[in-house]
Amino acid sequence: PDGYTLLFTPASSMLAAQPHFFRKLGFDPFRDFVSVAPLAWLPFGIAVSPKSGIRDVKELVEHLKKKPGNGFYGMGNNSGLGTAELFKEMAGLQTTQVPYKTSAQGLAALLDGQIDFLVWDGTFMSGHHKAGRLRMVAVTSPQRSGSLPDVPTMIEQGFTGFEITSWWGLAVPAGTPRPIVD
C-alpha cells in the first residue's frame, strides 16, 4: 500500500458483484481495497439474431414464452448474468443460461440459432449491431447510449427501474496513505 500498486478493474463485477455470486473469495473487496476513482461506465445490451425478426424486448418476451422452458440465453461474465437474471425475473421467464468464455463464442451461438438472445457489454456489441451482424433490442443504462442512439433502454420498453451499468475503476490496496489516494 505505497501508491505504486494500482488495480484497474471492471469493478462492477470484481468488487461489487463477486461477493454476491461466490461464497468464498480470496479477497474482501470492502476491506482489502480503497477506491480511488470510477473511470468509465458502459451499458450492457440485449441482442438477438437479425434473422429472428425480433425488433424489441416485447417481441423477444413473446418469442421466449412460446418456447419450451422459455429458450436459452448466452452471457460471459457476472454482470451479464445479473442483467439476464433480472430481465428473466421482471419478464416472468425461466430461460436457461448458457455461459461462454469469449464474446465471439456467444455471438457465433446466437447467429447459429443455439441461443435466443445474448447479454454482453455494449462496447463489444455496438460494432456488430452497426454492421447488422446482430440486433440490439435494448441497453441497460437509464439513458440511451451515445454510441447506440437507436437502441432503446429497458426502462423505455416498460421495465421500470431496470438499470445495470458496468463500471471500471481504479483502486489501491487498503492501507495506502490518504494523501496518495487523493
Side-chain angles (χ1 to χ4, degrees):
D2 57 8
Y4 290 99
T5 301
L6 306 171
L7 175 64
F8 175 66
T9 180
S12 56
S13 61
M14 193 190 110
L15 298 178
Q18 284 191 7
H20 303 286
F21 286 113
F22 299 101
R23 287 191 183 113
K24 289 188 176 188
L25 292 173
F27 62 92
D28 182 326
F30 304 106
R31 283 186 274 206
D32 295 343
F33 300 98
V34 174
S35 178
V36 175
L39 300 174
W41 288 265
L42 60 119
F44 273 75
I46 297 177
V48 297
S49 168
K51 295 182 252 177
S52 71
I54 296 168
R55 294 181 309 271
D56 57 32
V57 174
K58 179 182 177 193
E59 289 180 5
L60 175 59
V61 171
E62 289 170 357
H63 167 79
L64 293 168
K65 287 190 174 183
K66 292 176 186 173
K67 297 186 80 167
N70 302 140
F72 298 90
Y73 75 87
M75 47 58 68
N77 58 37
N78 292 335
S79 297
L81 173 61
T83 300
E85 291 298 314
L86 178 59
F87 169 52
K88 284 173 47 180
E89 181 180 311
M90 291 179 82
L93 298 168
Q94 298 298 315
T95 312
T96 302
Q97 168 206 134
V98 181
Y100 293 98
K101 290 185 179 185
T102 70
S103 53
Q105 291 171 329
L107 178 59
L110 180 69
L111 298 180
D112 194 39
Q114 297 172 27
I115 57 176
D116 297 287
F117 69 95
L118 182 65
V119 178
W120 220 279
D121 73 71
T123 54
F124 161 71
M125 292 202 294
S126 65
H128 295 290
H129 171 76
K130 290 174 184 174
R133 288 187 289 273
L134 58 75
R135 178 179 295 131
M136 290 183 66
V137 295
V139 291
T140 61
S141 51
Q143 295 87 26
R144 289 188 185 209
S145 168
S147 63
L148 296 162
D150 63 321
V151 180
T153 68
M154 291 294 286
I155 294 169
E156 286 178 280
Q157 297 183 75
F159 288 79
T160 305
F162 196 111
E163 177 185 339
I164 296 180
T165 52
S166 181
W167 51 276
W168 285 74
L170 187 64
V172 294
T176 301
R178 190 76 228 171
I180 293 174
V181 173
D182 292 342

